[in-house]
């Protein structure tokens, strides 16, 4: 059985990982070419974001054919080769299943549009409230109303995301059977993990105007969601104990997560929740510029850690993915303390209770690119909101400032392999610009350098394997109200770990009120480590102490 509590997952955004045929787009062969690098880091699973046939309006999250590979990424042979080569190195492949919606190019949607009733029932078509007024006032996550009018039927279809991403009707049993078939197909190819895209949005039931928010309270964690997940589990991956699963839970509640990822609930192995990554939002509004709220960040992570533990449920733990800005730019420091802060942030996440996810480039401290021209952006969400912000009256300058902080493209720039042209990502023209700092921030130099961020990640991943307290221990928050320290305690079978971090670029003091004499320091981001009851922490200092 796979012990996902001791495992770490490495996320690859294939488009930006490694290009082998000079078309400027990363491909599956590129992933295979870099397996030794990934192995060196010590991870267990590789999650690949979607590479299925797709018009790429949302970089593959708009799937046109779940059974085939988009030519831009390669062929089925390339995929099989990747699974084989990964297997040789003890690495397992996790695929990204986008089951809330399909591309409007999908055969099912095309058949629906041509009037085939069977396929119209695969999607959510509804009459407008009256002429010219959509069924509800819900907003698409990418901006604008979430319904698109189809004149031929005088009806609208629902798209919670882009207008080319039509929501599927999970209440239709045929749809659920189709989804099962897809999973079984990829299981036969040796896939050992599945990530389910915005999966807590699949059960919709109430179609009413929302006068309090954007509509999410009517379709998030819907009435049949647990039933549908249990059914999917039982019919597919639940039959293979080696398979791990993770659900991306959009605006979920912790109570629902006890069940999604409960030890005995037979739904998913774990969940991604995002509350801790909204601490630089205003409520749910991300297109704003506000400093991050440190106290809130701690409160949220502490609450999830404590309660998921008490309720025997399991979290995926992470700072970064392809939808989030780079964490060192977000909560760390990209100048003087770049290295220290990147390592500190890594330690905070990797010693938590949960399965850590590392997003490509995070392990070498990649930063946001700081794009200054809209022509440099590619992401549909960013392009839409750039317009919306200006329609709301913001100056172009302010709209840029917000994009530079929050755009999803911040994490989608090419992986920085070397200090050479295009960071060694491609010999062609990259589909999105490379971040300018690749001459100093790249994988090649960090593999060489023993004190690099890369090697710190490697140590953390290894520590989880060797140390049962990190993998299985209970969680207890420390220094809850301290204005700079992020600290917690993990305990298991008589062993205690203290994970202590200065989250800021200035020195800070913390009176631990503990006798720390019996503790040894097992990890730090400074060359030495001074331990005392009253701890003096240097900028971004991070220490892990152990007492057996
Ligand atoms: C998830 C994906 C994101 C995508 C969206 C719609 O949030 O991570 O990239 O745009 O779902 O599929
Ligand atoms: Ca390519």
């Amino acid at each position: 059985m796979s012990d996902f509590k001791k495992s770490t997952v490495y996320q690859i955004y294939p488009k930006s990982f490694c290009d082998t045929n000079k078309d400027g787009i990363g491909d599956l062969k590129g992933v295979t070419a870099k397996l030794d690098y990934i192995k060196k880091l010590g991870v267990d699973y590789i999650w690949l974001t979607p590479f299925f046939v797709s018009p790429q309006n949302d970089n593959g999250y708009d799937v046109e054919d779940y059974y085939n590979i988009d030519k831009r990424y390669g062929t089925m042979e390339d995929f099989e080769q990747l699974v084989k080569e990964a297997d040789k190195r003890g690495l397992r492949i996790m695929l990204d299943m986008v089951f809330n919606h399909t591309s409007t190019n999908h055969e099912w949607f095309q058949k629906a549009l041509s009037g085939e009733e069977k396929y119209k029932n695969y999607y959510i078509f509804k009459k407008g409230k009256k002429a010219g007024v959509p069924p509800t006032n819900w907003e698409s996550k990418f901006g604008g109303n979430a319904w698109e009018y189809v004149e031929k039927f005088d009806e609208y279809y629902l798209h919670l995301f882009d207008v080319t991403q039509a929501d599927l009707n999970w209440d239709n049993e045929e749809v659920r059977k189709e989804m099962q078939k897809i999973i079984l197909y990829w299981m036969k190819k040796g896939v050992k993990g599945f990530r389910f895209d915005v999966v807590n949005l699949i059960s919709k039931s109430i179609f009413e105007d929302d006068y309090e928010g954007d509509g999410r309270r009517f379709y998030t964690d819907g009435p049949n969601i647990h039933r549908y997940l249990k059914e999917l589990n039982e019919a597919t991956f639940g039959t293979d104990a080696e398979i791990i699963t993770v659900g991306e839970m959009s605006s979920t509640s912790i109570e629902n997560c006890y069940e999604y990822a409960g030890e005995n609930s037979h739904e998913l192995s774990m969940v991604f929740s995002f509350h801790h990554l909204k601490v630089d939002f205003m409520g749910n509004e991300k297109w704003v510029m506000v400093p991050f709220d440190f106290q809130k960040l701690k409160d949220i992570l502490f609450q999830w850690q404590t309660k998921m533990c008490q309720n025997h449920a399991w979290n995926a733990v992470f700072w970064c993915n392809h939808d989030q800005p780079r964490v060192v730019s977000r909560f760390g420091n990209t100048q003087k303390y770049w290295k220290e802060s990147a390592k500190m942030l890594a330690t905070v996440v990797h010693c938590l209770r949960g399965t850590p996810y590392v997003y490509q480039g995070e392990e070498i401290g990649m930063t946001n690119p700081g794009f200054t021209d809209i022509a440099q952006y590619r992401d549909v969400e960013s392009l839409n909101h750039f317009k919306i912000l200006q329609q709301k009256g913001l100056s172009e300058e302010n709209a840029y400032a917000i994009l530079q902080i929050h755009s999803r493209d911040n994490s989608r720039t090419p992986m920085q392999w070397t200090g050479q042209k295009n960071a060694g990502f491609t010999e062609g023209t990259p589909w999105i610009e490379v971040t300018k700092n690749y001459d100093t921030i790249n994988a090649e130099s960090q593999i060489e350098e023993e004190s690099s961020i890369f090697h710190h990640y490697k140590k953390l991943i290894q520590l989880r394997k060797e140390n049962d307290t990190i993998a299985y221990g209970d969680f207890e928050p420390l220094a809850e109200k301290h204005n700079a320290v992020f600290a917690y305690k993990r305990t298991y079978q008589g062993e205690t770990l203290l994970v202590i971090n200065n989250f800021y670029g200035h020195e800070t003091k913390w009176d631990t009120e503990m006798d720390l004499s019996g503790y040894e320091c097992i990890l730090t981001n400074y060359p030495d480590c001074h331990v005392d009851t009253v701890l003096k922490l240097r900028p971004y200092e991070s220490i892990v102490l152990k007492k057996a």
Side-chain angles (χ1 to χ4, degrees):
M1 211 179 98
S2 114
D3 189 357
F4 56 80
K5 298 186 175 177
K6 285 209 169 252
S7 300
T8 299
V9 183
Y10 188 76
Q11 182 194 352
I12 291 183
Y13 200 65
K15 202 171 211 167
S16 301
F17 195 61
C18 175
D19 173 28
T20 58
N21 65 347
K22 306 184 187 179
D23 65 356
I25 298 174
D27 39 56
L28 293 178
K29 278 198 171 128
V31 178
T32 307
K34 296 296 185 185
L35 285 173
D36 286 334
Y37 170 81
I38 298 165
K39 181 68 191 169
K40 197 170 281 165
L41 190 57
V43 301
D44 306 276
Y45 288 85
I46 300 173
W47 153 28
L48 298 162
T49 60
F51 47 71
F52 312 106
V53 179
S54 155
Q56 303 287 320
N57 291 331
D58 187 19
N59 284 338
Y61 283 93
D62 45 334
V63 181
E64 182 177 326
D65 176 357
Y66 292 95
Y67 296 98
N68 284 294
I69 286 160
D70 198 289
K71 283 203 218 52
R72 279 165 276 219
Y73 296 116
T75 62
M76 190 58 84
E77 238 177 17
D78 295 344
F79 179 74
E80 284 161 359
Q81 185 69 11
L82 167 59
V83 175
K84 209 168 103 194
E85 288 299 318
D87 196 55
K88 273 191 206 161
R89 293 164 178 80
L91 295 165
R92 290 156 183 190
I93 302 293
M94 172 187 260
L95 294 195
D96 203 326
M97 297 285 118
V98 190
F99 283 177
N100 175 68
H101 43 264
T102 73
S103 163
T104 49
N105 282 10
H106 195 288
E107 179 187 4
W108 302 333
F109 194 80
Q110 288 302 314
K111 286 185 175 164
L113 277 188
S114 73
E116 276 188 53
E117 230 15 69
K118 171 180 158 89
Y119 291 101
K120 262 189 89 182
N121 286 329
Y122 272 39
Y123 295 91
I124 302 176
F125 280 91
K126 297 241 177 267
K127 287 280 176 220
K129 272 191 300 224
K130 58 180 183 211
V133 183
T136 70
N137 66 354
W138 299 356
E139 276 169 45
S140 149
K141 310 252 181 202
F142 293 166
N145 187 272
W147 298 90
E148 182 72 5
Y149 186 60
V150 181
E151 201 178 341
K152 183 169 168 191
F153 306 137
D154 187 27
E155 281 178 341
Y156 295 75
Y157 69 84
L158 179 67
H159 63 90
L160 293 181
F161 294 88
D162 186 53
V163 58
T164 64
Q165 292 165 301
D167 280 62
L168 285 162
N169 173 17
W170 273 70
D171 292 334
N172 179 350
E173 197 186 343
E174 285 180 79
V175 167
R176 305 203 300 276
K177 289 264 182 301
E178 296 275 13
M179 300 297 128
Q180 294 171 11
K181 236 174 82 188
I182 296 164
I183 303 273
L184 292 171
Y185 173 83
W186 290 105
M187 276 169 64
K188 276 214 192 95
K189 299 231 174 250
V191 167
K192 290 293 179 197
F194 294 99
R195 179 251 188 198
F196 293 99
D197 191 60
V198 292
V199 73
N200 64 326
L201 309 185
I202 58 176
S203 169
K204 285 122 184 153
S205 67
I206 304 168
F207 294 88
E208 275 175 26
D209 277 341
D210 190 351
Y211 298 109
E212 286 170 25
D214 60 5
R216 69 184 70 193
R217 65 199 173 102
F218 293 120
Y219 56 74
T220 304
D221 302 321
N224 295 313
I225 181 67
H226 296 289
R227 179 158 76 81
Y228 294 161
L229 285 175
K230 286 184 212 302
E231 182 187 81
L232 190 65
N233 175 315
E234 197 186 330
T236 63
F237 53 81
T239 58
D240 182 345
E242 281 200 352
I243 289 183
I244 68 166
T245 53
V246 56
E248 186 201 24
M249 300 303 172
S250 174
S251 299
T252 189
S253 72
I254 195 165
E255 291 75 19
N256 272 292
C257 289
Y258 304 153
E259 184 122 15
Y260 292 139
E263 223 167 69
N264 297 313
S265 46
H266 303 286
E267 293 187 17
L268 302 168
S269 320
M270 64 191 104
V271 286
F272 288 117
S273 56
F274 294 90
H275 300 70
H276 67 296
L277 296 177
K278 293 186 179 182
V279 297
D280 52 2
F281 288 18
M282 260 159 70
N284 282 320
E285 180 57 45
K286 92 166 176 181
W287 301 100
V288 290
M289 218 163 43
V290 293
F292 80 90
D293 184 336
F294 179 58
Q295 190 59 49
K296 200 165 158 194
L297 178 70
K298 287 205 291 187
D299 291 346
I300 292 170
L301 280 173
F302 289 166
Q303 187 206 16
W304 278 77
Q305 285 287 303
T306 315
K307 290 198 167 174
M308 290 290 273
C309 185
Q310 282 163 1
N311 289 279
H312 311 285
W314 197 250
N315 247 123
V317 289
F318 68 106
W319 292 125
C320 298
N321 67 30
H322 62 293
D323 297 328
Q324 301 293 330
R326 291 289 181 180
V327 69
V328 69
S329 300
R330 192 176 194 176
F331 301 136
N333 179 293
T334 56
Q335 306 296 321
K336 187 168 171 201
Y337 296 113
W338 165 70
K339 208 195 238 185
E340 289 78 6
S341 66
K343 289 183 185 178
M344 179 277 291
L345 290 163
T347 303
V348 169
V349 153
H350 281 254
C351 295
L352 290 174
R353 178 182 176 277
T355 300
Y357 283 64
V358 179
Y359 175 68
Q360 66 182 48
E362 176 187 342
E363 76 281 13
I364 55 167
M366 274 177 65
T367 65
N368 292 346
F371 288 157
T372 51
D373 190 327
I374 196 65
Q376 294 172 293
Y377 286 94
R378 296 286 176 273
D379 173 28
V380 53
E381 185 198 41
S382 305
L383 298 175
N384 288 351
H385 281 279
F386 185 64
K387 278 193 212 130
I388 293 170
L389 284 171
Q390 291 177 80
Q391 281 157 10
K392 284 186 182 159
L394 252 78
S395 67
E396 196 181 88
E397 199 188 339
N398 285 340
Y400 273 126
I402 292 176
L403 248 58
Q404 279 178 6
I405 292 176
H406 290 297
S407 169
R408 305 194 298 179
D409 282 337
N410 282 317
S411 57
R412 297 177 180 184
T413 61
M415 174 69 186
Q416 293 166 202
W417 294 107
T418 68
Q420 269 107 59
K421 191 172 167 227
N422 294 325
F425 161 71
T426 181
E427 286 174 37
T429 308
W431 71 278
I432 186 168
E433 272 178 42
V434 176
T435 300
K436 297 271 186 294
N437 54 22
Y438 62 86
D439 55 332
T440 52
I441 302 182
N442 63 66
E444 191 177 55
S445 63
Q446 292 199 30
I447 292 169
E448 289 285 302
E449 189 200 326
E450 250 173 72
S451 73
S452 67
I453 300 168
F454 178 88
H455 284 285
H456 191 79
Y457 271 87
K458 200 175 149 161
K459 281 182 202 157
L460 284 164
I461 293 164
Q462 193 54 32
L463 201 56
R464 173 168 291 268
K465 298 210 177 306
E466 290 163 2
N467 185 292
D468 287 352
T469 308
I470 291 190
Y472 311 124
D474 284 343
F475 177 93
E476 194 188 307
L478 296 173
E480 277 169 283
K481 297 288 171 215
H482 195 290
N483 63 9
V485 171
F486 194 120
Y488 53 87
K489 187 196 249 182
R490 305 287 317 274
T491 47
Y492 187 69
Q493 296 185 342
E495 185 178 273
T496 302
L497 294 182
L498 302 177
V499 183
I500 301 166
N501 305 278
N502 178 0
F503 220 81
Y504 286 91
H506 52 76
E507 283 181 15
T508 193
K509 242 190 227 166
W510 173 40
D511 184 355
T512 65
E513 293 168 27
M514 287 184 265
D515 173 14
L516 298 178
S517 54
Y519 282 88
E520 62 163 320
C521 178
I522 58 168
L523 190 73
T524 151
N525 59 350
Y526 274 82
D528 51 7
C529 176
H530 313 283
V531 181
D532 216 331
T533 297
V534 178
L535 273 175
K536 272 201 227 144
L537 296 167
R538 288 163 282 189
Y540 298 108
E541 183 163 0
S542 166
I543 53 178
V544 182
L545 306 177
K546 179 173 107 173
K547 187 164 88 176

